[in-house]
């Protein structure tokens, strides 16, 4: 029987641990999920976990990285379906805010993540977010759709507002109501970027 290449085996082991941890973090929360839960579920040893991720916190970072990449793909798909670049921009951020209602995202990304890893605006994935948002805003400025604002400054403000809204929704007593309020307020806020069309 042919042996799998080492690279493939490493990827498979990491994948099993991340999947098991993701399931445990989503159902029990970070604090109540034990390393034995992940290893037993994945059929691996604690040694494998330490070797690949260092510790439980390292595993949480890997799980957050995976969820973040999935969210990114979903948001790109949403914005690409919009009839205009502006609508795509608004739809993408609205969808991000609404994702705070999804139990897995709420618990892992917005409640446990900040509690364990600190301020989400400082996470590695945020710099990529800022870059793509800056590029989107610059395109809208270049096309004359929005006012001639500084793209990076605006990207940081828009990202900050949507992240703050998502964190608020996740910890709200009534997340559904908070989500509706946040989406409505966010749409009013960003509409201020639009160039006013002259009356015919």
């Amino acid at each position: 029987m042919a042996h799998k290449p080492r690279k493939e085996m490493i990827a498979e082991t990491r994948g099993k641990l991340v999947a098991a941890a993701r399931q445990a973090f989503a159902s029990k929360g970070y604090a109540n999920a034990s390393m034995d839960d992940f290893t037993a579920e994945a059929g691996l040893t604690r040694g494998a976990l330490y070797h690949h991720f260092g510790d439980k916190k390292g595993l949480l970072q890997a799980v957050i990285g995976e969820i973040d990449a999935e969210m990114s793909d979903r948001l790109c798909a949403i914005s690409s379906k919009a009839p205009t670049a502006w609508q795509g921009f608004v739809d993408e951020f609205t969808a991000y805010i609404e994702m705070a209602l999804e139990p897995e995202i709420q618990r892992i990304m917005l409640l446990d993540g900040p509690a364990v890893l600190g301020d989400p605006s400082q996470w590695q994935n945020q710099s990529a977010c800022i870059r793509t948002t800056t590029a989107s805003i610059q395109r809208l400025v270049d096309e004359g759709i929005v006012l001639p604002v500084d793209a990076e400054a605006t990207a940081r403000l828009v990202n900050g507002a949507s992240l703050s809204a998502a964190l608020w929704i996740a910890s709200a007593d009534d997340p559904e109501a908070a989500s509706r309020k946040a989406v409505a307020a966010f749409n009013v806020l960003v509409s201020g970027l639009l160039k006013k069309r002259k009356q015919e």
Side-chain angles (χ1 to χ4, degrees), residues 30-178:
Y30 178 84
N32 297 318
S34 78
M35 292 204 278
D36 293 331
D37 289 335
F38 320 139
T39 51
E41 180 69 31
L44 296 161
T45 62
R46 268 192 180 216
L49 189 154
Y50 291 129
H51 174 70
H52 291 285
F53 300 101
D55 56 13
K56 188 175 164 186
K57 192 172 167 182
L59 196 47
L60 177 65
Q61 283 176 310
V63 168
I64 282 176
E66 182 175 271
I67 296 171
D68 184 67
E70 289 168 12
M71 288 169 72
S72 220
D73 288 346
R74 287 169 61 191
L75 293 169
C76 282
I78 286 164
S79 65
S80 67
K81 284 181 193 149
T84 64
W86 171 254
Q87 196 56 53
F89 178 76
V90 173
D91 289 354
E92 185 174 337
F93 279 94
T94 299
Y96 172 80
I97 293 168
E98 289 174 340
M99 281 179 186
L101 291 172
E102 296 177 26
E104 185 185 55
I105 289 172
Q106 194 175 97
R107 185 161 210 173
I108 298 174
M109 300 288 286
L110 301 169
L111 295 173
D112 287 346
V116 178
L117 304 174
D119 179 4
S121 70
Q122 301 303 312
W123 293 357
Q124 270 185 335
N125 60 7
Q126 279 299 305
S127 52
C129 261
I130 298 290
R131 277 196 306 275
T132 54
T133 307
T134 300
S136 296
I137 291 167
Q138 191 58 59
R139 267 197 307 277
L140 292 166
V141 169
D142 294 344
E143 288 166 19
I145 296 163
V146 305
L147 296 163
V149 290
D150 181 273
E152 187 189 345
T154 309
R156 289 183 179 279
L157 289 167
V158 170
N159 270 311
S162 55
L163 174 59
S164 186
L167 292 167
W168 174 50
I169 293 160
S171 57
D173 291 333
D174 185 347
E176 294 273 356

Side-chain angles (χ1 to χ4, degrees), residues 171-187:
S171 57
D173 291 333
D174 185 347
E176 294 273 356
S179 176
R180 284 192 298 275
K181 289 176 189 173
V183 166
F186 183 83
N187 276 270

